[in-house]
């Protein structure tokens, strides 16, 4: 039996830990070595690191939209920057290109990315938005950067490549193409990184709006941030049922991850792009980073890139 954990549960606490005013906050990742939360501001072109101990955000500015950040086995980080996979040395504030994709699509950029259990970096692209969620359709693709720094394209015709994660037994890859309003599952081969047999496991309801970032908990349930929906939802990928909704004080919730010393805290990023003065005055924490405690579940630590 699921523990009763409905929206009426009073133990769930939501707090804005960094009122950053990100234009598009995204890709939260807990860095255990630094006891800090990494995230990016895509259109703000910044890679950020929030330290709960220091209660402050350090930021490194980059020369293109930066859409995801991941840990690296050898230390420091890897990022997706424009249409490039790149390495980031934090102390030196040094970015070096690893490889580029979508060379034939100058209007494209990477969006969400995450490292798989074998240490490969999965990330997808999209056309640059005219305004939030308004863009040329079917321009994106999903890629994997392998540890030998080679790249494979899995498929194209993607609108907005978004949330991704892997089942606890490493046999299923979960993926969101936002404008399909669906959370999809693929068979996944840990040995090769190949994916196939795509199917939808959850279709979003109207008030949930647009599915964005996603992460998995230690019970194998998925958490999806709903852009313009002001919430994260918990899904059972086996039954396709929604188990829980947690509402946040901002509409443009973009992504989520677990962190903290035992991965029992959830961190949620948000955006402020596309909000007018009136909307922003109603939601002064738009673009902030939120911490949710009391969920009663833990997350899976992020995998580092093996290259």
């Amino acid at each position: 039996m699921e523990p009763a954990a409905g929206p009426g549960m009073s133990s769930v606490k939501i707090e804005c830990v960094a009122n950053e005013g990100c234009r598009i906050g995204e890709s939260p990742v807990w860095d255990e070595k630094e006891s800090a939360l990494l995230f990016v501001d895509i259109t703000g072109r910044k890679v950020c690191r929030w330290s709960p101990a220091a209660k402050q955000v350090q930021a490194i500015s980059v020369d293109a939209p930066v859409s995801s950040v991941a840990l690296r086995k050898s230390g420091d980080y890897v990022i997706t920057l424009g249409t490039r996979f790149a390495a980031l040395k934090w102390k030196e504030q040094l970015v070096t290109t690893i490889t580029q994709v979508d060379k034939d699509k100058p209007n494209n950029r990477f969006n969400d990315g995450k490292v798989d259990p074998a240490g490969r970096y999965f990330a997808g692209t999209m056309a640059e938005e005219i305004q939030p969620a308004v863009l040329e359709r079917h321009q994106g693709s999903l890629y994997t950067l392998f540890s030998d720094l080679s790249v494979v394209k899995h498929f194209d015709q993607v609108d907005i490549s978004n949330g991704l994660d892997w089942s606890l037994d490493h046999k299923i890859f979960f993926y969101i193409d936002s404008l399909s309003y669906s959370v999809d599952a693929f068979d996944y081969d840990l040995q090769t990184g190949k994916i196939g047999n795509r199917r939808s496991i959850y279709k979003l309801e109207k008030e949930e709006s647009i599915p964005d970032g996603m992460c998995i908990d230690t019970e194998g349930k998925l958490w999806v941030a709903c852009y313009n929906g002001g919430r994260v939802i918990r899904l059972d990928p086996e039954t396709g049922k929604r188990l829980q909704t947690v509402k946040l004080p901002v509409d443009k919730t973009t992504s989520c991850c677990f962190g903290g010393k035992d991965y029992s805290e959830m961190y949620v990023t948000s955006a402020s792009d596309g909000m007018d003065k009136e909307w922003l005055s109603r939601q002064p924490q738009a673009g902030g980073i939120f911490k949710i405690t009391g969920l009663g579940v833990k997350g899976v630590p992020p995998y580092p890139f093996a290259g």
Side-chain angles (χ1 to χ4, degrees), residues 60-72:
I60 291 179
S61 290
V62 292
D63 65 2
V66 55
S67 61
S68 74
V69 57
L71 309 175
R72 193 172 190 175

Side-chain angles (χ1 to χ4, degrees), residues 136-194:
E136 193 182 345
R137 307 271 313 245
H138 312 309
Q139 296 305 300
S141 298
L142 181 70
Y143 293 95
T144 294
L145 176 68
F146 286 74
S147 59
D148 66 0
L149 308 186
S150 64
V151 172
V152 162
K153 182 200 280 198
H154 295 281
F155 50 81
D156 51 22
Q157 298 296 310
V158 172
D159 288 322
I160 302 180
S161 192
N162 238 319
L164 53 174
D165 217 330
W166 290 265
S167 63
L168 302 181
D169 65 5
H170 304 159
K171 291 194 165 122
I172 301 171
F173 168 62
F174 299 108
Y175 176 71
I176 292 169
D177 178 351
S178 288
L179 297 188
S180 69
Y181 299 93
S182 170
V183 180
D184 291 354
F186 293 76
D187 297 344
Y188 163 74
D189 185 330
L190 179 66
Q191 259 39 67
T192 62
K194 284 198 171 76

Side-chain angles (χ1 to χ4, degrees), residues 73-223:
K73 222 187 216 122
S74 54
D76 282 305
Y77 308 115
V78 278
I79 57 176
T80 47
L81 181 68
T83 50
R84 295 167 285 162
F85 284 105
L88 169 63
K89 279 188 154 28
W90 188 268
K91 276 196 186 69
E92 296 84 349
Q93 304 201 5
L94 184 67
V95 175
T96 46
T97 299
I98 295 170
T99 186
Q100 188 176 9
V101 303
D102 285 2
K103 287 198 179 86
D104 56 332
K105 301 207 160 151
N107 195 38
N108 274 20
R109 66 161 174 84
F110 267 117
N111 201 39
D112 208 354
K114 193 173 276 183
V115 176
D116 81 355
R120 312 173 188 102
Y121 196 1
F122 278 63
T125 57
M126 58 184 279
E128 196 57 85
E129 291 164 302
I130 300 154
Q131 58 199 61
V134 179
L135 72 165
E136 193 182 345
R137 307 271 313 245
H138 312 309
Q139 296 305 300
S141 298
L142 181 70
Y143 293 95
T144 294
L145 176 68
F146 286 74
S147 59
D148 66 0
L149 308 186
S150 64
V151 172
V152 162
K153 182 200 280 198
H154 295 281
F155 50 81
D156 51 22
Q157 298 296 310
V158 172
D159 288 322
I160 302 180
S161 192
N162 238 319
L164 53 174
D165 217 330
W166 290 265
S167 63
L168 302 181
D169 65 5
H170 304 159
K171 291 194 165 122
I172 301 171
F173 168 62
F174 299 108
Y175 176 71
I176 292 169
D177 178 351
S178 288
L179 297 188
S180 69
Y181 299 93
S182 170
V183 180
D184 291 354
F186 293 76
D187 297 344
Y188 163 74
D189 185 330
L190 179 66
Q191 259 39 67
T192 62
K194 284 198 171 76
I195 56 174
N197 183 28
R198 185 175 190 168
R199 62 255 182 212
S200 172
I201 55 162
Y202 183 80
K203 288 269 188 227
L204 274 82
E205 292 173 24
K206 196 147 193 72
E207 74 275 6
E208 291 168 341
S209 213
I210 304 174
D212 199 333
M214 170 168 60
C215 68
I216 197 163
D217 65 32
T218 55
E219 294 175 8
K221 308 297 190 274
L222 298 172
W223 293 83

Side-chain angles (χ1 to χ4, degrees), residues 217-244:
D217 65 32
T218 55
E219 294 175 8
K221 308 297 190 274
L222 298 172
W223 293 83
V224 178
C226 300
Y227 181 86
N228 283 343
R231 67 191 69 189
V232 290
I233 54 175
R234 187 181 192 226
L235 309 176
D236 185 332
E238 287 177 18
T239 63
K241 295 268 190 287
R242 186 183 66 230
L243 303 172
Q244 189 177 352

